Amino acid sequence: MDIQRNVTQISVFQIALLLAMAMNSTAILTAPAITVQYAQRDLWLSPLFSSVSGIIVLFLAIHLNRRFPGMTVIQYSEYCIGKWPGKIISGIFLLVVLHIGSIIVREYAEFVKGMFLDETPLLVIICGMVILSTYATRSGIEVIGRLAQLFVPGVMLTWVILLLLTIPDWDVMNIFPAFDGGILPAIRGSITPQGWFSEMFLLSFLLPHLKKNSPIKKWMIIMVVFAAINLSILNIISLFVFGNLVPTLTYPVMSLIRYVNIADFLQHIDALLLIIWVIGVFLKIVLFQYCIASGCAQWLNVEKFRPLVLPLGFLMVLFSLWSASSMQDLSAYLKDTSFFYAMIFFLIYPLGLFLIAIVRKPKIRRD
Amino acid sequence: MQKYIRWFTSFCLLGLLAGCWDQTEIDQLAIISAVGIDLTADNKIKLSAEIAVPKNASAGQESSAGGQSGGSQKMVRSAIGEDFNDALNHLQSVVPRRLFWGQVNILVIGDKLAKAGMLNQLSFFSGQKEARLTLYPFITKGDAVDILVKTFPLETDLSDLMSNQSKIQFKRRITFNKMLQNFNSVSEAMSLPWVLYDKKNGVPYIGGRAIFKNGKFIGAANMRETEGIAWVRNEIKHKVTSVKVDHGKGAGLNLTYSKTTLRPKIAGDQWEMHIDVQGEEDIIESSLGKEIMEPKTIDRIQKKAVMQIKSNIDEVMKKAQNQWSADIFGFDEVYYRKYPNLWETHKKNWNTIFPHIKVFINVDLKVYQRGLELTAN
């Protein structure tokens, strides 16, 4: 198979923004509530441990891309493990990405329905998002990169301001005693977020479009550290404000922003959180949809991915409805299953490919 | 052809611009500003809501020009049910508009319900999506609805009145969040603002703290005891006190700075708590004449003020340990932070340990004379 010639390009900065947003947008909703179950008062330390798997998968994606320039995981798997096994595993891989993407859509819909639009049918919320993301995905990777560049700075600024507004309600002593049960609880609390960080392996689909000679490693490390610190700060603020109540909250970040009350004047600002969160999750869904569609095109040896976006978007709607029967089902998945699911396909599978590539040194026919 | 299709689609989309199909305008909402919950004589829940009545803007202008007075700007509706949710359903049926909970500021709970245990009736306020954890909880003597129905001269509604009062009295706001955190602690003990009604002036006021133990109301602390609690919890709000030095003569002191540090200690079986109070006071008035100029007098005033604070803390501490045996000071958290391992083994006995904690009070107070006129009288 020949290497696909790519004319579309995005910058390393755009990739970093896109991945940081993809990492943080869904994580901020549930991260404190999930990590606190194991980590107790040390929940702020967990994201820093979780970022380890993020760094590993980024390393794998970058090095596999060096070995197979211009190819994605769907393409080079055939070189590593043979044509047909590669096709089969890539098919499963795409299904997994589709499934995880759909679960993100469902998470978005559950949050919006639970918090704001309680009478709107789930399907309407899901379709609204998928139609939009389909439109954005069809426009190609350049547009997606620019969307990230356009939205993310504003989102980050708003996010920082929102967090700063909670300062008057901080009870800093809540953090003590730190490391009550040793370091182990914090590590156990980091396990579920490990799965979320490993989703960054989707970088593999973006690398072929990266401009030549970009300092990708530097930016990826900055991005992972930033994402981990951001989660850590959110966790610590939740602890400051809600203390022993954090485990009982469904969306700690929502409760946090609702708790803001500056001089009985600046309050009820939760709509701001919804705005930035919807933007973040939109970018994440677009990223997933792009990876599914372009991956599918490469898998089927189709020249253009564009015609595939809409049908796959339709599948995404269906998968998101099928993936969980209720909110409880969904959070059980996020808490327990998602880790193994994401780890197998985003960390262990690429690691296998990486080892095979080192040992067998497969030859690539260049055109 | 394509052009016409585009035009047609655009026109179809115009219909969506009208807004949401299930919109609720503000004049279809009953905006609740304060909620009262009581236990009736036959063990049912009585839910009362203070609903803001928006004043017509033009009517307001007329009245300021000397027209009729504004009249009532709120209304109160009550409903009785088996539990909170049942009462809620009944309440909605007596109010013609949809009840809106997003602006609820104040939660007043009658002492009967507080005695019986109120927590399981309050999950609505932590779980419902409109309600906020910023709510201020209050406990009142008698029925909450009696306070809700009153009208007041200065503030438009109870919500304004009580939040202003608590701002004056407390250093940090005591919110629903703080309340739940305290009930979630080992001791399940805490103190909430205790509201009384001043019949003469027709206003409710915060007249102390309601003491809770094991999640239940067990008694009220008066203003003096409340001050002691505030000293220990580092919640004292800067205020004026008077100190008598001799023969009815004395000075008025204004507290300008205060900080309380709790130092726990476990020596063998003896649990100790050292309460270190630091403070600075300014003399704002005196009846001591020229004496006030002498450093000796300042010393005496200082000693007297220290003694007052000490006895204040001591009194409430004795009462908390012996009479209430409720850890309203949050000592459990303090011990847990200092001795996490020991705490794990002792926390189930906390309620028997607490009354036997040996308390040491150490007050470090500085008194300054900074007035413009040095020799009053």
Side-chain angles (χ1 to χ4, degrees):
Chain A
M1 202 185 88
D2 297 339
I3 304 160
Q4 223 175 315
R5 281 259 169 259
N6 294 298
V7 272
T8 51
Q9 286 194 326
I10 65 174
S11 75
V12 64
F13 183 60
Q14 289 169 335
I15 291 185
L17 289 181
L18 200 56
L19 285 182
M21 219 55 223
M23 174 54 228
N24 272 335
S25 58
T26 46
I28 59 165
L29 269 199
T30 46
I34 286 178
T35 43
V36 77
Q37 310 282 354
Y38 303 103
Q40 305 295 344
R41 294 184 189 222
D42 301 331
L43 75 164
W44 51 277
L45 200 61
S46 298
L48 303 181
F49 289 123
S50 313
S51 62
V52 171
S53 67
I55 289 172
I56 295 173
V57 298
L58 289 174
F59 170 84
L60 289 175
I62 292 169
H63 276 261
L64 281 167
N65 180 261
R66 289 246 169 98
R67 193 163 281 275
F68 307 101
M71 285 198 227
T72 69
V73 62
I74 304 296
Q75 292 162 319
Y76 52 66
S77 67
E78 292 174 21
Y79 288 100
C80 288
I81 50 178
K83 184 158 185 182
W84 287 108
K87 281 273 185 226
I88 291 168
I89 293 186
S90 293
I92 298 172
F93 184 86
L94 283 172
L95 267 179
V96 169
V97 179
L98 179 65
H99 186 206
I100 293 180
S102 313
I103 283 169
I104 294 157
V105 176
R106 177 63 178 264
E107 253 182 282
Y108 154 80
E110 286 286 349
F111 176 74
V112 171
K113 188 177 164 77
M115 283 290 129
F116 297 93
L117 308 174
D118 51 354
E119 286 174 30
T120 312
L122 210 54
L123 186 66
V124 174
I125 304 173
I126 290 173
C127 283
M129 180 49 97
V130 173
I131 288 171
L132 185 65
S133 68
T134 302
Y135 178 69
T137 312
R138 276 176 61 91
S139 315
I141 189 68
E142 273 182 332
V143 171
I144 298 172
R146 281 181 198 167
L147 270 178
Q149 211 172 3
L150 180 70
F151 285 137
V152 176
V155 166
M156 280 179 188
L157 188 70
T158 318
W159 175 241
V160 169
I161 291 172
L162 284 180
L163 289 184
L164 288 180
L165 286 177
T166 62
I167 288 179
D169 298 303
W170 288 5
D171 194 348
V172 184
M173 289 307 276
N174 278 342
I175 196 176
F176 297 112
F179 314 123
D180 182 11
I183 200 92
L184 210 62
I187 294 177
R188 284 184 67 197
S190 78
I191 288 176
T192 306
Q194 301 265 10
W196 306 338
F197 271 94
S198 69
E199 284 170 7
M200 290 190 188
F201 183 68
L202 293 184
L203 172 69
S204 168
F205 289 90
L206 306 178
L207 279 178
H209 300 284
L210 183 66
K211 282 176 190 150
K212 289 260 151 55
N213 302 324
S214 307
I216 180 80
K217 266 190 188 164
K218 184 184 113 190
W219 274 101
M220 287 303 109
I221 286 172
I222 292 175
M223 188 266 296
V224 172
V225 169
F226 165 81
I229 289 178
N230 184 28
L231 277 190
S232 187
I233 289 174
L234 172 66
N235 280 0
I236 209 168
I237 293 177
S238 310
L239 184 66
F240 282 168
V241 176
F242 294 116
N244 56 21
L245 284 188
V246 178
T248 66
L249 303 168
T250 321
Y251 301 120
V253 62
M254 194 65 203
S255 306
L256 202 63
I257 303 307
R258 278 167 164 252
Y259 199 67
V260 169
N261 182 352
I262 310 271
D264 284 337
F265 167 69
L266 197 57
Q267 48 182 342
H268 301 234
I269 50 173
D270 28 322
L272 273 180
L273 177 73
L274 183 74
I275 292 169
I276 63 171
W277 189 75
V278 167
I279 292 172
V281 97
F282 162 70
L283 287 175
K284 181 165 189 173
I285 292 168
V286 168
L287 174 69
F288 269 79
Q289 215 176 348
Y290 173 78
C291 293
I292 298 160
S294 65
C296 219
Q298 288 154 2
W299 187 57
L300 299 168
N301 287 337
V302 183
E303 191 108 325
K304 281 182 179 153
F305 75 95
R306 218 153 280 189
L308 295 173
V309 178
L310 189 61
L312 286 170
F314 181 67
L315 267 186
M316 228 165 151
V317 172
L318 286 182
F319 269 49
S320 66
L321 286 173
W322 292 338
S323 56
S325 58
S326 64
M327 182 65 205
Q328 281 65 35
D329 224 18
L330 189 68
S331 50
Y333 162 82
L334 289 174
K335 222 179 281 173
D336 308 323
T337 328
S338 71
F339 166 71
F340 298 102
Y341 204 44
M343 274 303 185
I344 289 172
F345 285 95
F346 293 144
L347 197 142
I348 296 174
Y349 171 55
L351 188 67
L353 289 183
F354 178 68
L355 293 177
I356 291 170
I358 286 178
V359 175
R360 286 182 54 188
K361 293 198 172 53
K363 294 239 159 36
I364 309 159
R365 190 161 50 88
R366 293 182 186 277
D367 53 338
Chain B
M1 188 59 203
Q2 203 159 21
K3 197 176 157 193
Y4 290 113
I5 293 175
R6 275 188 196 163
W7 273 104
F8 180 71
T9 325
S10 316
F11 270 113
C12 288
L13 285 174
L14 269 181
L16 295 174
L17 286 176
C20 310
W21 54 272
D22 65 341
Q23 60 176 341
T24 316
E25 293 292 340
I26 196 159
D27 58 1
Q28 293 163 333
L29 288 177
I31 298 167
I32 302 173
S33 56
V35 176
I37 310 176
D38 292 307
L39 194 66
T40 59
D42 48 351
N43 274 329
K44 286 183 175 171
I45 298 293
K46 184 175 185 183
L47 175 65
S48 320
E50 182 192 70
I51 295 159
V53 176
K55 206 171 166 187
N56 197 321
S58 60
Q61 277 163 5
E62 273 168 34
S63 69
S64 66
Q68 82 269 57
S69 67
S72 172
Q73 291 180 32
K74 65 172 196 177
M75 63 174 207
V76 175
R77 293 285 179 274
S78 302
I80 296 174
E82 295 296 327
D83 59 8
F84 183 88
N85 286 320
D86 193 29
L88 187 70
N89 284 335
H90 290 161
L91 184 66
Q92 180 65 81
S93 61
V94 295
V95 178
R97 295 178 177 185
R98 193 174 84 79
L99 294 173
F100 180 71
W101 298 87
Q103 299 282 344
V104 180
N105 248 341
I106 301 292
L107 177 65
V108 188
I109 294 156
D111 59 353
K112 268 187 243 127
L113 179 62
K115 252 177 214 145
M118 60 193 186
L119 265 189
N120 44 5
Q121 304 295 345
L122 300 181
S123 57
F124 175 81
F125 294 100
S126 51
Q128 208 256 359
K129 72 186 178 74
E130 276 176 13
R132 276 152 210 273
L133 292 169
T134 40
L135 217 61
Y136 298 99
F138 294 96
I139 310 297
T140 181
K141 195 177 179 179
D143 283 345
V145 61
D146 292 343
I147 289 197
L148 243 56
V149 294
K150 299 286 190 316
T151 51
F152 326 104
L154 267 179
E155 278 83 7
T156 48
D157 55 19
L158 184 72
S159 155
D160 279 357
L161 182 101
M162 296 316 290
S163 41
N164 281 347
Q165 280 239 4
S166 57
K167 218 181 290 168
I168 293 166
Q169 290 211 8
F170 308 127
K171 214 176 193 176
R172 301 193 72 172
R173 50 190 184 144
I174 301 175
T175 59
F176 202 67
N177 166 27
K178 286 277 169 345
M179 184 187 93
L180 289 179
Q181 282 187 41
N182 275 312
F183 280 135
N184 220 356
S185 70
V186 171
S187 60
E188 290 184 64
M190 72 170 307
S191 60
L192 287 176
W194 173 244
V195 176
L196 297 169
Y197 185 70
D198 180 352
K199 280 204 185 77
K200 209 174 103 204
N201 297 319
V203 281
Y205 63 99
I206 298 172
R209 294 283 184 104
I211 308 296
F212 282 79
K213 191 195 173 186
N214 295 329
K216 283 175 182 163
F217 172 68
I218 52 166
N222 60 29
M223 278 315 263
R224 191 174 153 73
E225 288 156 356
T226 301
E227 206 183 308
I229 297 171
W231 273 115
V232 180
R233 292 185 57 102
N234 193 19
E235 282 171 0
I236 196 90
K237 189 89 183 183
H238 303 160
K239 50 175 245 121
V240 177
T241 47
S242 71
V243 173
K244 294 275 173 290
V245 183
D246 47 15
H247 312 301
K249 283 183 178 176
L253 301 177
N254 183 25
L255 187 68
T256 52
Y257 164 81
S258 72
K259 184 174 162 57
T260 309
T261 325
L262 300 176
R263 282 188 294 120
K265 211 173 186 180
I266 304 179
D269 273 355
Q270 186 59 52
W271 294 48
E272 291 174 6
M273 181 63 82
H274 297 258
I275 302 171
D276 296 340
V277 178
Q278 277 178 299
E280 280 177 24
E281 307 219 45
D282 274 359
I283 298 173
I284 49 167
E285 128 338 293
S286 93
S287 53
L288 290 163
K290 284 206 169 82
E291 266 183 72
I292 197 80
M293 294 293 285
E294 290 169 35
K296 254 198 315 196
T297 319
I298 302 282
D299 271 1
R300 275 161 68 203
I301 291 173
Q302 190 165 321
K303 278 198 186 101
K304 197 82 187 179
V306 166
M307 261 171 55
Q308 278 189 3
I309 295 170
K310 261 190 185 166
S311 70
N312 193 340
I313 295 176
D314 199 44
E315 258 172 55
V316 72
M317 196 58 76
K318 282 209 175 80
K319 201 161 181 185
Q321 286 187 315
N322 303 328
Q323 192 184 330
W324 300 320
S325 69
D327 173 22
I328 45 180
F329 311 105
F331 282 0
D332 51 351
E333 278 284 303
V334 178
Y335 277 109
Y336 173 43
R337 272 166 202 158
K338 182 83 183 282
Y339 301 101
N341 298 326
L342 262 174
W343 178 252
E344 279 306 310
T345 53
H346 286 95
K347 72 176 179 191
K348 53 185 182 297
N349 306 324
W350 176 240
N351 280 339
T352 55
I353 293 170
F354 176 73
H356 302 295
I357 293 174
K358 222 170 164 181
V359 177
F360 300 89
I361 305 160
N362 181 20
V363 181
D364 175 18
L365 196 69
K366 290 190 177 68
V367 174
Y368 296 103
Q369 154 70 294
R370 285 175 177 141
L372 285 173
E373 189 189 29
L374 292 175
T375 52
N377 302 324

PDB file of all heavy atoms in Angstrom, chain A residues 310-322:
ATOM      1  N   LEU A 310     -20.962  11.311   7.552  1.00  0.00           N
ATOM      2  CA  LEU A 310     -22.380  11.346   7.937  1.00  0.00           C
ATOM      3  C   LEU A 310     -22.893   9.967   8.364  1.00  0.00           C
ATOM      4  O   LEU A 310     -23.502   9.850   9.433  1.00  0.00           O
ATOM      5  CB  LEU A 310     -23.213  11.938   6.801  1.00  0.00           C
ATOM      6  CG  LEU A 310     -24.661  12.214   7.159  1.00  0.00           C
ATOM      7  CD1 LEU A 310     -24.766  13.226   8.282  1.00  0.00           C
ATOM      8  CD2 LEU A 310     -25.445  12.684   5.945  1.00  0.00           C
ATOM      9  N   PRO A 311     -22.654   8.915   7.567  1.00  0.00           N
ATOM     10  CA  PRO A 311     -23.112   7.591   8.024  1.00  0.00           C
ATOM     11  C   PRO A 311     -22.520   7.191   9.365  1.00  0.00           C
ATOM     12  O   PRO A 311     -23.219   6.642  10.218  1.00  0.00           O
ATOM     13  CB  PRO A 311     -22.617   6.647   6.932  1.00  0.00           C
ATOM     14  CG  PRO A 311     -22.313   7.480   5.776  1.00  0.00           C
ATOM     15  CD  PRO A 311     -22.033   8.852   6.251  1.00  0.00           C
ATOM     16  N   LEU A 312     -21.238   7.502   9.560  1.00  0.00           N
ATOM     17  CA  LEU A 312     -20.616   7.145  10.838  1.00  0.00           C
ATOM     18  C   LEU A 312     -21.184   7.988  11.971  1.00  0.00           C
ATOM     19  O   LEU A 312     -21.320   7.511  13.100  1.00  0.00           O
ATOM     20  CB  LEU A 312     -19.103   7.317  10.748  1.00  0.00           C
ATOM     21  CG  LEU A 312     -18.408   6.226   9.926  1.00  0.00           C
ATOM     22  CD1 LEU A 312     -16.969   6.590   9.671  1.00  0.00           C
ATOM     23  CD2 LEU A 312     -18.497   4.896  10.636  1.00  0.00           C
ATOM     24  N   GLY A 313     -21.553   9.239  11.646  1.00  0.00           N
ATOM     25  CA  GLY A 313     -22.201  10.076  12.646  1.00  0.00           C
ATOM     26  C   GLY A 313     -23.525   9.474  13.065  1.00  0.00           C
ATOM     27  O   GLY A 313     -23.888   9.462  14.246  1.00  0.00           O
ATOM     28  N   PHE A 314     -24.219   8.915  12.075  1.00  0.00           N
ATOM     29  CA  PHE A 314     -25.490   8.255  12.360  1.00  0.00           C
ATOM     30  C   PHE A 314     -25.263   7.065  13.298  1.00  0.00           C
ATOM     31  O   PHE A 314     -25.993   6.868  14.273  1.00  0.00           O
ATOM     32  CB  PHE A 314     -26.126   7.802  11.040  1.00  0.00           C
ATOM     33  CG  PHE A 314     -27.442   7.135  11.225  1.00  0.00           C
ATOM     34  CD1 PHE A 314     -28.539   7.851  11.687  1.00  0.00           C
ATOM     35  CD2 PHE A 314     -27.604   5.788  10.954  1.00  0.00           C
ATOM     36  CE1 PHE A 314     -29.764   7.234  11.860  1.00  0.00           C
ATOM     37  CE2 PHE A 314     -28.824   5.162  11.139  1.00  0.00           C
ATOM     38  CZ  PHE A 314     -29.900   5.891  11.593  1.00  0.00           C
ATOM     39  N   LEU A 315     -24.205   6.292  12.996  1.00  0.00           N
ATOM     40  CA  LEU A 315     -23.870   5.166  13.874  1.00  0.00           C
ATOM     41  C   LEU A 315     -23.556   5.649  15.286  1.00  0.00           C
ATOM     42  O   LEU A 315     -23.912   5.017  16.274  1.00  0.00           O
ATOM     43  CB  LEU A 315     -22.651   4.431  13.332  1.00  0.00           C
ATOM     44  CG  LEU A 315     -22.894   3.247  12.404  1.00  0.00           C
ATOM     45  CD1 LEU A 315     -21.584   2.567  12.083  1.00  0.00           C
ATOM     46  CD2 LEU A 315     -23.852   2.261  13.052  1.00  0.00           C
ATOM     47  N   MET A 316     -22.900   6.808  15.337  1.00  0.00           N
ATOM     48  CA  MET A 316     -22.533   7.367  16.638  1.00  0.00           C
ATOM     49  C   MET A 316     -23.781   7.662  17.471  1.00  0.00           C
ATOM     50  O   MET A 316     -23.825   7.391  18.667  1.00  0.00           O
ATOM     51  CB  MET A 316     -21.751   8.654  16.418  1.00  0.00           C
ATOM     52  CG  MET A 316     -20.483   8.746  17.211  1.00  0.00           C
ATOM     53  SD  MET A 316     -19.509  10.060  16.511  1.00  0.00           S
ATOM     54  CE  MET A 316     -18.646  10.559  17.955  1.00  0.00           C
ATOM     55  N   VAL A 317     -24.790   8.221  16.813  1.00  0.00           N
ATOM     56  CA  VAL A 317     -26.048   8.500  17.518  1.00  0.00           C
ATOM     57  C   VAL A 317     -26.615   7.210  18.083  1.00  0.00           C
ATOM     58  O   VAL A 317     -26.987   7.124  19.254  1.00  0.00           O
ATOM     59  CB  VAL A 317     -27.054   9.164  16.560  1.00  0.00           C
ATOM     60  CG1 VAL A 317     -28.418   9.273  17.227  1.00  0.00           C
ATOM     61  CG2 VAL A 317     -26.572  10.525  16.144  1.00  0.00           C
ATOM     62  N   LEU A 318     -26.660   6.173  17.222  1.00  0.00           N
ATOM     63  CA  LEU A 318     -27.224   4.901  17.683  1.00  0.00           C
ATOM     64  C   LEU A 318     -26.407   4.309  18.815  1.00  0.00           C
ATOM     65  O   LEU A 318     -26.954   3.888  19.833  1.00  0.00           O
ATOM     66  CB  LEU A 318     -27.260   3.900  16.517  1.00  0.00           C
ATOM     67  CG  LEU A 318     -28.333   4.145  15.481  1.00  0.00           C
ATOM     68  CD1 LEU A 318     -28.290   3.065  14.420  1.00  0.00           C
ATOM     69  CD2 LEU A 318     -29.703   4.160  16.141  1.00  0.00           C
ATOM     70  N   PHE A 319     -25.089   4.290  18.642  1.00  0.00           N
ATOM     71  CA  PHE A 319     -24.223   3.713  19.681  1.00  0.00           C
ATOM     72  C   PHE A 319     -24.404   4.461  21.005  1.00  0.00           C
ATOM     73  O   PHE A 319     -24.398   3.855  22.067  1.00  0.00           O
ATOM     74  CB  PHE A 319     -22.749   3.808  19.253  1.00  0.00           C
ATOM     75  CG  PHE A 319     -22.274   2.593  18.513  1.00  0.00           C
ATOM     76  CD1 PHE A 319     -23.016   2.085  17.465  1.00  0.00           C
ATOM     77  CD2 PHE A 319     -21.091   1.961  18.862  1.00  0.00           C
ATOM     78  CE1 PHE A 319     -22.588   0.964  16.776  1.00  0.00           C
ATOM     79  CE2 PHE A 319     -20.659   0.840  18.181  1.00  0.00           C
ATOM     80  CZ  PHE A 319     -21.403   0.345  17.140  1.00  0.00           C
ATOM     81  N   SER A 320     -24.559   5.780  20.911  1.00  0.00           N
ATOM     82  CA  SER A 320     -24.664   6.525  22.162  1.00  0.00           C
ATOM     83  C   SER A 320     -25.967   6.194  22.869  1.00  0.00           C
ATOM     84  O   SER A 320     -26.036   6.236  24.100  1.00  0.00           O
ATOM     85  CB  SER A 320     -24.542   8.026  21.907  1.00  0.00           C
ATOM     86  OG  SER A 320     -25.637   8.471  21.173  1.00  0.00           O
ATOM     87  N   LEU A 321     -27.004   5.876  22.102  1.00  0.00           N
ATOM     88  CA  LEU A 321     -28.261   5.489  22.745  1.00  0.00           C
ATOM     89  C   LEU A 321     -28.171   4.073  23.310  1.00  0.00           C
ATOM     90  O   LEU A 321     -28.750   3.758  24.338  1.00  0.00           O
ATOM     91  CB  LEU A 321     -29.418   5.580  21.751  1.00  0.00           C
ATOM     92  CG  LEU A 321     -29.857   6.993  21.415  1.00  0.00           C
ATOM     93  CD1 LEU A 321     -30.878   6.981  20.292  1.00  0.00           C
ATOM     94  CD2 LEU A 321     -30.446   7.675  22.634  1.00  0.00           C
ATOM     95  N   TRP A 322     -27.415   3.214  22.601  1.00  0.00           N
ATOM     96  CA  TRP A 322     -27.324   1.819  23.028  1.00  0.00           C
ATOM     97  C   TRP A 322     -26.333   1.618  24.173  1.00  0.00           C
ATOM     98  O   TRP A 322     -26.441   0.648  24.918  1.00  0.00           O
ATOM     99  CB  TRP A 322     -26.862   0.931  21.868  1.00  0.00           C
ATOM    100  CG  TRP A 322     -27.853   0.802  20.769  1.00  0.00           C
ATOM    101  CD1 TRP A 322     -29.196   1.019  20.858  1.00  0.00           C
ATOM    102  CD2 TRP A 322     -27.599   0.439  19.416  1.00  0.00           C
ATOM    103  NE1 TRP A 322     -29.778   0.805  19.645  1.00  0.00           N
ATOM    104  CE2 TRP A 322     -28.827   0.457  18.740  1.00  0.00           C
ATOM    105  CE3 TRP A 322     -26.439   0.106  18.718  1.00  0.00           C
ATOM    106  CZ2 TRP A 322     -28.932   0.137  17.383  1.00  0.00           C
ATOM    107  CZ3 TRP A 322     -26.553  -0.219  17.373  1.00  0.00           C
ATOM    108  CH2 TRP A 322     -27.787  -0.197  16.717  1.00  0.00           C
TER     109      TRP A 322
END
